């Protein structure tokens, strides 16, 4: 089977799962819909592997293949085709997306089994994966924009899945609107590039990269910055990041899917894919680098104080994506993609572990209410620890190697990149602190009521189900979470998915160990072969960075233990009282929501009210429409007054009219 055929089949599998579950939702009983959706993703992963093996059988110069189903619109300079590009970069993304998504589907088989929207959930989940695969396989800007928009639509459906929960629908709308802003940026950026390249095809555009950089540098820079708007919105980078924490209103498997394997990694992929263009515009690349660095720091500070378990992990995702954006924008393409891969493993694991813990809490996500689950949930605790060690960058777990690869590249770049190097390691320390803050607060100390119930073999259920964000009482009808709760200790599918990810989070770094293994470098070399960015870090800088990263990870764990493990949070209270202004800044998320409300939402809302109440009602309805209609009504009233119905009046009017005409002609003749 050819690589392109296998790639088309991988793309078709989740689409087929969507259609089968979507059209046959009334037919499926029990877990049938989940099995169909999971089987579709497993088949897609198999086809992704076949694509990999088929492509590896070709020479390096023949590892960029384009396959087109049909021409959508080919006229003049527009060459919009339904085409896919199969190369090492797209295959890496395919493997990560389908592999991790399959495990999330397996986890969902049990986790969502009590929900009455079960079939609908798997239809949406398959559609999300199809959209992401379409995005990463696109061979041109046209199909990229289609996949980009589909991912935004799928995120709305999944975030607002519990549609009777007002916080969920609001979060879905917020995510959709912000991502539409990114869609506009992506589309306008494509226009700037198309205007001078005269092609939508990626490879055709990349072949002209040097010409575009030399002859149309302004247009290229503008186009790339607009592409970055799309990347920042999709990957939740400043200032388009505010939708991501709110996206935690969706079911936990959705959080894992969005954060680990699909949506938020799209921006990283886009920059890596467009690397020939970014290398011709230093200004655009620097914008990406700086925004990534600022985001990773800001998100980490917020993660230090957030008390909603899923939101802590969400801010962690923002921060880790910041590392990736910083890396690929700086030219550390393989390092950024390496971190994307390892992050998918340990972040999906952390979300799944959090979902198991939240189920044991009866749906409560507040860290302030959790304590002492270590004995009651040993498997969940073990998975949380492995995910936490990987996220903290402790060797030999996967996050240690991938994060330090990015920071090593920044140090090698020198100059102002040293600032990014320092910010990166400072954030690494904060990452370890807030990660283990979660673990110590949830699993250490005196067990809470829910943990004691579980120790006695009973899964705790709240007397009245409530919205974890507002405390509002909810029922368990359609549009709300189901009445059942499932934990990894008792549900085999959840345990299989989490156990597999725990192994991957532990050994995933083996594909690119500095000075030891270069498998990932070698695999991605055909995609980045034409890159002008070359880095050869010294051994001294390499070993210093690895030692520093490991030391900061362990130091962060020690700090978290002293504050929340040993002192039971009293030190945290003392610190908060010493720096109340800083704590308030972080708790209020640097006031980005308020800033956006004042700068964007309120002015547009005022303009909308003015347009509706003043401009439309007075000018449009009153003057443009009301004026002519008033004249017509007045004329018709005059005509009606003349229509008296008396024959004598009509005859007299006729004689007067005829006399007036005769008089006119007599005057004219004289």
């Amino acid at each position: 089977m050819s690589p392109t055929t296998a790639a088309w089949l991988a793309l078709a599998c989740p689409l087929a799962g969507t259609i089968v579950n979507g059209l046959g939702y009334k037919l499926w009983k029990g877990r049938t819909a989940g099995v169909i959706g999971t089987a579709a993703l497993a088949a897609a992963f198999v086809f992704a592997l076949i694509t990999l093996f088929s492509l590896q059988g070709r020479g390096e110069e023949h590892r960029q293949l384009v396959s087109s189903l049909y021409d959508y619109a080919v006229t003049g300079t527009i060459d919009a085709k339904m085409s896919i590009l199969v190369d090492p970069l797209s295959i890496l993304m395919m493997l990560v997306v389908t592999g991790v998504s399959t495990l999330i589907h397996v986890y969902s088989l049990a986790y969502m089994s009590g929900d009455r929207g079960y079939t609908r959930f798997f239809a949406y989940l398959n559609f999300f994966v199809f959209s992401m695969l379409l995005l990463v396989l696109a061979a041109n800007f046209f199909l990229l924009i289609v996949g980009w928009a589909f991912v935004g639509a799928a995120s709305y459906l999944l975030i607002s899945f519990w549609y009777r929960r007002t916080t969920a629908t609001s979060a879905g709308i917020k995510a959709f609107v912000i991502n539409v802003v990114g869609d506009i940026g992506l589309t306008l950026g494509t226009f700037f590039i198309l205007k001078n390249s005269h092609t939508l095809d990626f490879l055709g555009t990349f072949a002209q990269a040097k010409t575009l950089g030399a002859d149309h540098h302004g247009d290229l820079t503008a186009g790339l910055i607009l592409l970055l708007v799309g990347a920042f919105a999709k990957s939740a980078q400043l200032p388009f990041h505010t939708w991501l924490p709110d996206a935690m209103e969706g079911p936990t498997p959705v959080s894992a899917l969005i954060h680990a394997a699909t949506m938020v990694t799209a921006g990283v992929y886009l920059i890596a894919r467009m690397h020939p263009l970014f290398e011709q515009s230093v200004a655009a690349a620097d914008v990406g680098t700086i925004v990534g660095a600022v985001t990773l720091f800001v998100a980490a500070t917020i993660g230090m104080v957030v008390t909603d378990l899923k939101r802590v992990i969400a801010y962690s995702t923002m921060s880790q994506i910041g590392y990736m954006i910083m890396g690929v924008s700086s030219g550390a393409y393989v390092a950024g993609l390496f971190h994307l891969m390892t992050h998918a493993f340990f972040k999906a694991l952390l979300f799944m572990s959090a979902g198991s813990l939240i189920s044991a809490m009866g749906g409560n996500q507040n860290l302030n209410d959790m304590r002492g689950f270590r004995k009651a949930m040993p498997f969940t605790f073990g998975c949380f620890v492995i995910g936490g060690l990987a996220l903290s960058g402790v060797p030999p777990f996967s996050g240690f190697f991938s994060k330090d690869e990015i920071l090593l590249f920044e140090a090698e770049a020198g100059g102002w990149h040293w600032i990014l190097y320092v910010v990166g390691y400072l954030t690494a320390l904060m990452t370890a602190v807030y990660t283990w803050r979660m673990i110590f607060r949830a699993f250490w100390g005196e067990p809470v009521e829910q943990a004691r119930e579980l120790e006695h073999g009973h899964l705790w259920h709240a007397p009245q189900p409530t919205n974890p964000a507002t405390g509002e009482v909810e029922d368990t009808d359609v549009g709300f979470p189901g009445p059942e709760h499932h934990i990894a200790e008792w549900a085999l599918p959840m345990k299989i998915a989490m156990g597999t990810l725990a192994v991957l989070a532990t050994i995933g770094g083996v594909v690119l160990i500095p000075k030891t293994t270069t498998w990932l470098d070698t695999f991605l070399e055909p995609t980045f072969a034409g890159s002008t960015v070359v880095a050869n870090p010294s051994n001294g800088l390499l070993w210093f960075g690895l030692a520093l990263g490991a030391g900061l990870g362990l130091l962060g764990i020690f700090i978290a233990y002293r504050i929340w493990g040993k002192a039971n949070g009293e030190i945290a209270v003392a610190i908060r009282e010493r720096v109340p202004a800083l704590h308030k800044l972080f708790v209020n998320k640097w006031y980005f929501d308020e800033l956006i409300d004042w700068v964007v939402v309120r002015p547009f809302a005022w303009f909308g009210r003015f347009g509706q109440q003043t401009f439309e009602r007075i000018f449009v309805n009153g003057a443009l429409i009301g004026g002519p209609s008033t004249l017509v009504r007045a004329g018709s009233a005059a005509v009606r007054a003349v229509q008296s119905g008396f024959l004598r009046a009509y005859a007299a009017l006729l004689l007067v009219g005829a006399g007036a005409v005769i008089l006119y002609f007599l005057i004219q003749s004289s």
Side-chain angles (χ1 to χ4, degrees):
M1 185 182 294
S2 70
T4 53
T5 301
W8 279 115
L9 290 172
L11 185 60
C13 287
L15 179 61
T18 302
I19 294 171
V20 171
N21 275 332
L23 296 181
Y25 72 98
K26 290 185 178 180
L27 303 176
W28 313 134
K29 306 297 181 183
R31 293 186 179 180
T32 305
V35 172
I36 291 171
T38 306
L41 260 293
F45 179 64
V46 170
F47 283 121
L49 288 174
I50 294 172
T51 307
L52 167 66
F53 296 139
S54 299
L55 193 72
Q56 287 297 93
R58 296 169 175 261
E60 288 191 7
E61 67 280 5
H62 300 297
R63 292 185 186 175
Q64 285 187 320
L65 307 176
V66 176
S67 173
S68 180
L69 277 184
Y70 63 89
D71 296 346
Y72 178 77
V74 180
T75 75
T77 58
I78 302 297
D79 53 349
K81 300 179 179 181
M82 300 296 290
S83 303
I84 60 171
L85 171 61
V86 178
D87 72 340
L89 175 57
S90 61
I91 289 177
L92 174 67
M93 294 300 296
M94 284 174 64
L95 290 170
V96 172
V97 170
T98 57
V100 176
S101 296
T102 299
L103 294 174
I104 293 171
H105 276 67
V106 171
Y107 178 89
S108 303
L109 286 172
Y111 190 85
M112 296 295 294
S113 61
D115 199 291
R116 289 180 62 183
Y118 190 74
T119 302
R120 177 168 57 93
F121 178 80
F122 279 94
Y124 289 172
L125 217 58
N126 272 205
F127 177 60
F128 201 158
V129 178
F130 161 74
S131 303
M132 188 65 190
L133 287 176
L134 184 66
L135 189 158
V136 300
L137 282 168
N140 51 54
F141 286 99
F142 164 69
L143 210 56
L144 173 72
I145 291 170
V146 173
W148 205 265
F150 278 5
V151 167
S155 69
Y156 167 75
L157 294 172
L158 286 169
I159 293 168
S160 56
F161 177 77
W162 288 320
Y163 54 84
R164 288 177 59 199
R165 178 179 277 180
T166 54
T167 51
T169 53
S170 297
I173 292 170
K174 185 177 183 178
F176 184 77
V177 169
I178 292 177
N179 276 279
V180 165
V181 174
D183 296 348
I184 294 170
L186 182 67
T187 305
L188 292 177
T190 297
F191 169 76
F192 273 95
I193 296 170
L194 171 66
K195 185 176 72 169
N196 298 301
S197 67
H198 307 296
T199 179
L200 290 169
D201 180 69
F202 287 161
L203 298 183
T205 302
F206 299 159
Q208 305 176 55
K210 290 185 179 179
T211 303
L212 293 173
D215 300 341
H216 309 284
H217 190 267
D219 279 354
L220 179 63
T221 300
L224 291 176
I225 290 176
L226 285 166
L227 291 186
L228 284 175
V229 170
F232 295 160
K234 198 70 75 182
S235 292
Q237 301 294 284
L238 268 61
F240 305 101
H241 65 287
T242 57
W243 67 268
L244 189 62
D246 290 351
M248 299 302 96
E249 290 293 330
T252 299
V254 173
S255 303
L257 188 62
I258 289 176
H259 288 248
T262 56
M263 189 169 180
V264 295
T265 61
V268 182
Y269 163 78
L270 177 65
I271 298 172
R273 174 59 77 196
M274 299 296 152
H275 76 276
L277 302 180
F278 276 99
E279 289 184 7
Q280 302 304 316
S281 176
V282 176
D286 287 349
V287 168
T289 302
I290 294 169
V291 169
V294 173
T295 302
L296 72 90
F297 177 78
V298 169
T301 60
I302 301 171
M304 296 278 288
V305 298
V306 174
T307 56
D308 183 296
L309 178 61
K310 285 174 65 175
R311 278 175 168 78
V312 177
I313 305 175
Y315 281 109
S316 167
T317 297
M318 280 175 51
S319 186
Q320 297 303 305
I321 296 292
Y323 278 112
M324 302 174 209
I325 294 285
M326 182 176 72
V328 293
S329 297
S330 299
Y333 309 120
V334 176
L337 293 167
F338 180 31
H339 196 52
L340 183 154
M341 181 191 77
T342 60
H343 176 265
F345 300 151
F346 60 73
K347 189 51 60 70
L349 176 62
L350 283 172
F351 267 114
M352 290 182 184
S353 301
S356 181
L357 182 58
I358 291 167
S359 290
M361 287 290 298
N364 188 344
Q365 300 175 187
N366 195 333
L367 278 169
N368 293 331
D369 300 331
M370 299 178 188
R371 204 77 182 158
F373 276 96
R374 189 158 37 117
K375 294 180 180 179
M377 306 182 73
F379 182 80
T380 299
F381 170 66
C383 289
F384 223 124
V385 166
I386 291 173
L389 289 169
L391 176 56
S392 303
V394 174
F397 297 91
S398 59
F400 165 70
F401 298 105
S402 57
K403 171 179 57 60
D404 285 289
E405 278 282 332
I406 295 172
L407 296 177
L408 180 62
F409 191 93
E410 299 301 334
E412 183 64 23
W416 62 273
H417 286 262
W418 277 107
I419 299 173
L420 308 182
Y421 183 79
V422 173
V423 169
Y425 275 117
L426 177 60
T427 304
L429 174 62
M430 289 192 289
T431 300
V433 173
Y434 68 66
T435 300
W436 286 83
R437 166 179 172 259
M438 285 190 295
I439 295 173
F440 287 127
R441 293 195 68 176
F443 293 98
W444 253 249
E446 186 67 25
V448 293
E449 178 188 355
Q450 294 88 337
R452 288 197 301 270
E453 285 279 323
L454 201 54
E455 287 177 6
H456 291 92
H458 305 293
L459 187 58
W460 189 85
H461 292 270
Q464 287 184 311
T466 57
N467 184 327
T470 63
E472 170 188 9
V473 176
E474 299 176 337
D475 62 27
T476 52
D477 201 351
V478 173
F480 280 121
E484 298 178 16
H485 299 290
H486 303 276
I487 62 174
E489 276 70 14
W490 294 1
L492 183 59
M494 293 172 66
K495 187 171 288 188
I496 291 172
M498 291 167 62
T500 305
L501 285 168
V503 173
L504 292 173
T506 303
I507 67 171
V510 73
V511 299
L512 194 63
I513 299 175
K515 304 293 184 180
T516 306
T517 59
T518 58
W519 295 337
L520 191 61
D521 247 328
T522 304
F523 174 67
L524 291 173
E525 186 176 354
T527 297
F528 302 111
S531 173
T532 58
V533 180
V534 179
N536 294 302
S538 64
N539 286 338
L541 192 59
L542 169 64
W543 296 118
F544 172 77
L546 292 175
L548 179 61
L552 289 175
L554 294 172
L555 176 62
I557 296 173
F558 175 73
I559 292 172
Y561 173 72
R562 288 299 304 269
I563 296 176
W564 292 283
K566 188 176 181 181
N568 203 23
E570 288 128 7
I571 297 177
V573 174
I575 294 172
R576 185 166 67 238
E577 291 173 350
R578 282 180 174 272
V579 285
L582 205 58
H583 179 265
K584 188 176 181 181
L585 176 67
F586 297 162
V587 165
N588 287 283
K589 300 164 285 186
W590 290 64
Y591 295 99
F592 272 101
D593 280 300
E594 290 79 4
L595 179 64
I596 292 171
D597 184 56
W598 277 98
V599 175
V600 179
V601 177
R602 293 193 182 195
F604 275 92
W606 174 87
F607 185 76
R609 287 193 300 271
F610 170 79
Q612 191 272 329
Q613 297 175 6
T614 304
F615 183 78
E616 182 179 358
R617 188 174 61 185
I618 297 174
F619 179 70
V620 176
N621 292 339
L624 295 183
I625 298 175
S629 63
T630 301
L631 290 174
V632 171
R633 282 196 300 270
S636 62
V639 171
R640 283 197 305 272
V642 172
Q643 302 293 324
S644 64
F646 293 105
L647 183 60
R648 286 174 298 176
Y650 295 160
L653 185 62
L654 180 62
L655 288 174
V656 171
V661 172
I662 293 169
L663 179 62
Y664 172 77
F665 282 112
L666 286 174
I667 294 172
Q668 289 294 321
S669 63
S670 63

